[in-house]
Amino acid sequence: MKVLNESIIKARLSKLLKTRKMGKSIYVFNELDSTQDYANSLPKNESFHGTIVIARKQNIGKGRMGRNWISPEGGLWMSIILIPDFSVDNIIFTQFIGALAVADAIFENTKICCKLMWPNDVLINEKKVCGILIDVHVENETKKIVMGIGLNANIASSLINDYLTSHDLKATTLKEEYGNEVDLLFLVKSILERIEYYYDNFISCGNTSEIIDRWKEKSDMLGKKATVHDGNQMIVGHIFDIDQTGALLMKLSDTSIKKITYYDNVTLH
Ligand code: BTN
């Protein structure tokens, strides 16, 4: 997206997309504090299902657990609005489709096979290349989900070094792993097409077990030792499954089972 201005990016993307709803309304910015904040604050009459907000760089990118997200030019910083027509209980599964869609899109564009880490990190060679942030708004009968995708695409890993030192999980970039730059517009196209596929085929029909099975196939977390940070407490155990609510299940040394939800902070050993 480097040399193109916002309206050209918009026009090119609209032409490329073969989706029914994803990306039918597009906002593109050279620079924004956060695409997530922008999408969260769009009023109801501009928040259509499939609306996307993209920025070339973010000044105050937001990560999970209140962390910041370093977002220099060259990365793919995008938020997608979803207006679910299903129960709030299934909203949690949108985190899995985000990660699955990004992994599929990376494979389509680079032939690199990614692994997934709960709840929605995408890894290459055990390093994080993409994180997903889900914000949910429920007001009376109206629901709105904002899915933020932060994909370290065409950036030198030296630019995200701060991130590397402040987290347990190391970070990487697509450029570093692939050895080449990728076309961000093709990446956006693939991600949106895959989100639509998973969303329409599984989530809106309530077929969430299919999503969990696909996610498990791409994850290598099961069987691993992990720690959950619960306030000041650290709980250690072995991950053995994901239940039907999308929670991670961890067996503790006293054989009791700890349920780990989206809002918990978990690290693998
Ligand atoms: C994580 O912590 O793993 C999630 C990171 C999500 C970052 C993306 S970048 C696009 C969108 N805008 C933001 O401010 N955050 C999300």
mmCIF file of all heavy atoms in Angstrom, residues 141-169:
data_model
loop_
_atom_site.group_PDB
_atom_site.id
_atom_site.type_symbol
_atom_site.label_atom_id
_atom_site.label_comp_id
_atom_site.label_asym_id
_atom_site.label_seq_id
_atom_site.Cartn_x
_atom_site.Cartn_y
_atom_site.Cartn_z
ATOM 1 N N GLU A 141 -31.160 -4.939 21.706
ATOM 2 C CA GLU A 141 -31.148 -6.050 20.749
ATOM 3 C C GLU A 141 -29.983 -5.952 19.768
ATOM 4 O O GLU A 141 -29.752 -6.851 18.975
ATOM 5 C CB GLU A 141 -32.469 -6.050 19.946
ATOM 6 C CG GLU A 141 -33.692 -6.468 20.741
ATOM 7 C CD GLU A 141 -33.570 -7.893 21.270
ATOM 8 O OE1 GLU A 141 -33.626 -8.828 20.455
ATOM 9 O OE2 GLU A 141 -33.409 -8.049 22.501
ATOM 10 N N THR A 142 -29.261 -4.822 19.809
ATOM 11 C CA THR A 142 -28.222 -4.600 18.793
ATOM 12 C C THR A 142 -26.867 -5.070 19.276
ATOM 13 O O THR A 142 -26.427 -4.741 20.371
ATOM 14 C CB THR A 142 -28.126 -3.091 18.471
ATOM 15 O OG1 THR A 142 -29.445 -2.591 18.378
ATOM 16 C CG2 THR A 142 -27.369 -2.833 17.184
ATOM 17 N N LYS A 143 -26.206 -5.858 18.405
ATOM 18 C CA LYS A 143 -24.864 -6.330 18.741
ATOM 19 C C LYS A 143 -23.901 -5.863 17.662
ATOM 20 O O LYS A 143 -24.253 -5.846 16.485
ATOM 21 C CB LYS A 143 -24.845 -7.863 18.763
ATOM 22 C CG LYS A 143 -25.645 -8.468 19.887
ATOM 23 C CD LYS A 143 -25.943 -9.937 19.632
ATOM 24 C CE LYS A 143 -27.387 -10.160 19.274
ATOM 25 N NZ LYS A 143 -27.730 -11.428 18.715
ATOM 26 N N LYS A 144 -22.715 -5.502 18.067
ATOM 27 C CA LYS A 144 -21.688 -5.107 17.095
ATOM 28 C C LYS A 144 -20.355 -5.653 17.602
ATOM 29 O O LYS A 144 -19.992 -5.466 18.760
ATOM 30 C CB LYS A 144 -21.652 -3.581 16.988
ATOM 31 C CG LYS A 144 -20.424 -3.015 16.279
ATOM 32 C CD LYS A 144 -20.569 -1.492 16.074
ATOM 33 C CE LYS A 144 -19.242 -0.788 15.885
ATOM 34 N NZ LYS A 144 -19.344 0.662 15.683
ATOM 35 N N ILE A 145 -19.646 -6.334 16.710
ATOM 36 C CA ILE A 145 -18.323 -6.849 17.066
ATOM 37 C C ILE A 145 -17.305 -6.091 16.229
ATOM 38 O O ILE A 145 -17.523 -5.873 15.031
ATOM 39 C CB ILE A 145 -18.188 -8.341 16.707
ATOM 40 C CG1 ILE A 145 -19.222 -9.169 17.456
ATOM 41 C CG2 ILE A 145 -16.786 -8.868 16.988
ATOM 42 C CD1 ILE A 145 -19.276 -10.617 17.000
ATOM 43 N N VAL A 146 -16.200 -5.687 16.836
ATOM 44 C CA VAL A 146 -15.108 -5.118 16.039
ATOM 45 C C VAL A 146 -13.908 -6.045 16.190
ATOM 46 O O VAL A 146 -13.425 -6.290 17.289
ATOM 47 C CB VAL A 146 -14.771 -3.682 16.481
ATOM 48 C CG1 VAL A 146 -13.583 -3.153 15.678
ATOM 49 C CG2 VAL A 146 -15.984 -2.769 16.281
ATOM 50 N N MET A 147 -13.497 -6.619 15.046
ATOM 51 C CA MET A 147 -12.356 -7.534 15.030
ATOM 52 C C MET A 147 -11.137 -6.783 14.499
ATOM 53 O O MET A 147 -11.103 -6.385 13.333
ATOM 54 C CB MET A 147 -12.675 -8.729 14.120
ATOM 55 C CG MET A 147 -11.530 -9.742 14.048
ATOM 56 S SD MET A 147 -11.745 -10.887 12.679
ATOM 57 C CE MET A 147 -13.065 -11.902 13.270
ATOM 58 N N GLY A 148 -10.152 -6.570 15.367
ATOM 59 C CA GLY A 148 -8.941 -5.857 14.942
ATOM 60 C C GLY A 148 -7.861 -6.858 14.590
ATOM 61 O O GLY A 148 -7.580 -7.780 15.363
ATOM 62 N N ILE A 149 -7.274 -6.683 13.413
ATOM 63 C CA ILE A 149 -6.218 -7.603 12.966
ATOM 64 C C ILE A 149 -4.918 -6.822 12.854
ATOM 65 O O ILE A 149 -4.840 -5.819 12.134
ATOM 66 C CB ILE A 149 -6.595 -8.232 11.605
ATOM 67 C CG1 ILE A 149 -7.853 -9.082 11.788
ATOM 68 C CG2 ILE A 149 -5.434 -9.057 11.040
ATOM 69 C CD1 ILE A 149 -8.322 -9.803 10.555
ATOM 70 N N GLY A 150 -3.910 -7.249 13.597
ATOM 71 C CA GLY A 150 -2.592 -6.611 13.533
ATOM 72 C C GLY A 150 -1.602 -7.619 12.986
ATOM 73 O O GLY A 150 -1.183 -8.533 13.692
ATOM 74 N N LEU A 151 -1.272 -7.467 11.710
ATOM 75 C CA LEU A 151 -0.386 -8.437 11.049
ATOM 76 C C LEU A 151 0.939 -7.758 10.704
ATOM 77 O O LEU A 151 0.974 -6.819 9.894
ATOM 78 C CB LEU A 151 -1.093 -8.990 9.805
ATOM 79 C CG LEU A 151 -0.328 -9.917 8.858
ATOM 80 C CD1 LEU A 151 0.327 -11.079 9.592
ATOM 81 C CD2 LEU A 151 -1.286 -10.481 7.807
ATOM 82 N N ASN A 152 2.016 -8.218 11.338
ATOM 83 C CA ASN A 152 3.347 -7.668 11.069
ATOM 84 C C ASN A 152 3.781 -8.160 9.690
ATOM 85 O O ASN A 152 4.399 -9.211 9.572
ATOM 86 C CB ASN A 152 4.353 -8.157 12.118
ATOM 87 C CG ASN A 152 3.940 -7.796 13.524
ATOM 88 O OD1 ASN A 152 3.293 -6.770 13.750
ATOM 89 N ND2 ASN A 152 4.299 -8.625 14.483
ATOM 90 N N ALA A 153 3.428 -7.421 8.674
ATOM 91 C CA ALA A 153 3.662 -7.902 7.302
ATOM 92 C C ALA A 153 5.017 -7.439 6.777
ATOM 93 O O ALA A 153 6.046 -8.074 7.033
ATOM 94 C CB ALA A 153 2.507 -7.459 6.415
ATOM 95 N N ASN A 154 5.025 -6.305 6.068
ATOM 96 C CA ASN A 154 6.270 -5.858 5.427
ATOM 97 C C ASN A 154 7.062 -4.921 6.323
ATOM 98 O O ASN A 154 7.287 -3.763 5.977
ATOM 99 C CB ASN A 154 5.929 -5.148 4.104
ATOM 100 C CG ASN A 154 5.182 -6.072 3.169
ATOM 101 O OD1 ASN A 154 5.410 -7.283 3.171
ATOM 102 N ND2 ASN A 154 4.282 -5.531 2.369
ATOM 103 N N ILE A 155 7.440 -5.425 7.488
ATOM 104 C CA ILE A 155 8.236 -4.570 8.379
ATOM 105 C C ILE A 155 9.467 -5.337 8.857
ATOM 106 O O ILE A 155 9.432 -6.549 9.010
ATOM 107 C CB ILE A 155 7.453 -4.034 9.609
ATOM 108 C CG1 ILE A 155 6.367 -5.002 10.077
ATOM 109 C CG2 ILE A 155 6.851 -2.711 9.375
ATOM 110 C CD1 ILE A 155 5.485 -4.424 11.171
ATOM 111 N N ALA A 156 10.537 -4.575 9.086
ATOM 112 C CA ALA A 156 11.758 -5.195 9.610
ATOM 113 C C ALA A 156 11.508 -5.518 11.074
ATOM 114 O O ALA A 156 10.880 -4.730 11.789
ATOM 115 C CB ALA A 156 12.915 -4.220 9.471
ATOM 116 N N SER A 157 11.983 -6.666 11.524
ATOM 117 C CA SER A 157 11.675 -7.035 12.917
ATOM 118 C C SER A 157 12.340 -6.083 13.906
ATOM 119 O O SER A 157 11.887 -5.960 15.048
ATOM 120 C CB SER A 157 12.043 -8.481 13.216
ATOM 121 O OG SER A 157 13.394 -8.678 12.993
ATOM 122 N N SER A 158 13.369 -5.352 13.463
ATOM 123 C CA SER A 158 14.019 -4.385 14.369
ATOM 124 C C SER A 158 13.018 -3.293 14.790
ATOM 125 O O SER A 158 13.127 -2.734 15.875
ATOM 126 C CB SER A 158 15.235 -3.753 13.695
ATOM 127 O OG SER A 158 14.840 -3.158 12.486
ATOM 128 N N LEU A 159 12.013 -3.038 13.939
ATOM 129 C CA LEU A 159 11.032 -1.997 14.259
ATOM 130 C C LEU A 159 10.072 -2.415 15.362
ATOM 131 O O LEU A 159 9.378 -1.583 15.944
ATOM 132 C CB LEU A 159 10.226 -1.619 13.012
ATOM 133 C CG LEU A 159 10.946 -0.795 11.960
ATOM 134 C CD1 LEU A 159 10.033 -0.531 10.784
ATOM 135 C CD2 LEU A 159 11.403 0.531 12.556
ATOM 136 N N ILE A 160 9.979 -3.714 15.615
ATOM 137 C CA ILE A 160 9.068 -4.149 16.684
ATOM 138 C C ILE A 160 9.855 -4.758 17.840
ATOM 139 O O ILE A 160 9.329 -5.520 18.632
ATOM 140 C CB ILE A 160 7.984 -5.123 16.175
ATOM 141 C CG1 ILE A 160 8.589 -6.241 15.329
ATOM 142 C CG2 ILE A 160 6.909 -4.401 15.394
ATOM 143 C CD1 ILE A 160 7.611 -7.355 15.040
ATOM 144 N N ASN A 161 11.106 -4.369 17.940
ATOM 145 C CA ASN A 161 11.964 -4.920 18.983
ATOM 146 C C ASN A 161 11.466 -4.666 20.395
ATOM 147 O O ASN A 161 11.632 -5.505 21.262
ATOM 148 C CB ASN A 161 13.399 -4.391 18.858
ATOM 149 C CG ASN A 161 14.223 -5.364 18.053
ATOM 150 O OD1 ASN A 161 13.859 -6.522 17.924
ATOM 151 N ND2 ASN A 161 15.311 -4.899 17.487
ATOM 152 N N ASP A 162 10.827 -3.512 20.609
ATOM 153 C CA ASP A 162 10.304 -3.202 21.942
ATOM 154 C C ASP A 162 9.328 -4.282 22.355
ATOM 155 O O ASP A 162 9.267 -4.700 23.489
ATOM 156 C CB ASP A 162 9.517 -1.887 21.921
ATOM 157 C CG ASP A 162 10.464 -0.722 21.858
ATOM 158 O OD1 ASP A 162 11.677 -0.956 21.942
ATOM 159 O OD2 ASP A 162 9.957 0.415 21.721
ATOM 160 N N TYR A 163 8.515 -4.687 21.372
ATOM 161 C CA TYR A 163 7.522 -5.712 21.639
ATOM 162 C C TYR A 163 8.224 -7.015 22.037
ATOM 163 O O TYR A 163 7.830 -7.684 22.972
ATOM 164 C CB TYR A 163 6.664 -5.935 20.397
ATOM 165 C CG TYR A 163 5.525 -6.883 20.641
ATOM 166 C CD1 TYR A 163 4.303 -6.416 21.088
ATOM 167 C CD2 TYR A 163 5.692 -8.257 20.485
ATOM 168 C CE1 TYR A 163 3.266 -7.279 21.348
ATOM 169 C CE2 TYR A 163 4.662 -9.133 20.747
ATOM 170 C CZ TYR A 163 3.455 -8.638 21.172
ATOM 171 O OH TYR A 163 2.434 -9.509 21.436
ATOM 172 N N LEU A 164 9.328 -7.316 21.305
ATOM 173 C CA LEU A 164 10.033 -8.571 21.567
ATOM 174 C C LEU A 164 10.514 -8.651 23.006
ATOM 175 O O LEU A 164 10.458 -9.693 23.620
ATOM 176 C CB LEU A 164 11.275 -8.718 20.660
ATOM 177 C CG LEU A 164 11.062 -8.702 19.158
ATOM 178 C CD1 LEU A 164 12.376 -8.926 18.435
ATOM 179 C CD2 LEU A 164 10.083 -9.776 18.751
ATOM 180 N N THR A 165 10.965 -7.533 23.546
ATOM 181 C CA THR A 165 11.545 -7.588 24.880
ATOM 182 C C THR A 165 10.497 -7.537 25.990
ATOM 183 O O THR A 165 10.772 -7.904 27.101
ATOM 184 C CB THR A 165 12.532 -6.418 25.084
ATOM 185 O OG1 THR A 165 11.872 -5.228 24.688
ATOM 186 C CG2 THR A 165 13.788 -6.593 24.269
ATOM 187 N N SER A 166 9.284 -7.057 25.676
ATOM 188 C CA SER A 166 8.330 -6.868 26.762
ATOM 189 C C SER A 166 7.301 -8.002 26.895
ATOM 190 O O SER A 166 6.421 -7.929 27.707
ATOM 191 C CB SER A 166 7.608 -5.532 26.588
ATOM 192 O OG SER A 166 6.913 -5.554 25.385
ATOM 193 N N HIS A 167 7.399 -9.029 26.074
ATOM 194 C CA HIS A 167 6.435 -10.118 26.156
ATOM 195 C C HIS A 167 7.141 -11.471 26.244
ATOM 196 O O HIS A 167 8.272 -11.621 25.798
ATOM 197 C CB HIS A 167 5.536 -10.123 24.920
ATOM 198 C CG HIS A 167 4.642 -8.934 24.868
ATOM 199 N ND1 HIS A 167 5.095 -7.689 24.538
ATOM 200 C CD2 HIS A 167 3.329 -8.811 25.127
ATOM 201 C CE1 HIS A 167 4.086 -6.844 24.593
ATOM 202 N NE2 HIS A 167 3.012 -7.495 24.947
ATOM 203 N N ASP A 168 6.419 -12.442 26.789
ATOM 204 C CA ASP A 168 6.994 -13.792 26.873
ATOM 205 C C ASP A 168 7.132 -14.405 25.493
ATOM 206 O O ASP A 168 8.063 -15.117 25.200
ATOM 207 C CB ASP A 168 6.070 -14.687 27.712
ATOM 208 C CG ASP A 168 5.893 -14.095 29.099
ATOM 209 O OD1 ASP A 168 6.877 -13.566 29.625
ATOM 210 O OD2 ASP A 168 4.780 -14.160 29.627
ATOM 211 N N LEU A 169 6.151 -14.087 24.655
ATOM 212 C CA LEU A 169 6.157 -14.640 23.306
ATOM 213 C C LEU A 169 6.975 -13.730 22.393
ATOM 214 O O LEU A 169 6.799 -12.525 22.408
ATOM 215 C CB LEU A 169 4.698 -14.695 22.827
ATOM 216 C CG LEU A 169 4.387 -15.378 21.516
ATOM 217 C CD1 LEU A 169 4.731 -16.847 21.566
ATOM 218 C CD2 LEU A 169 2.894 -15.223 21.221
#
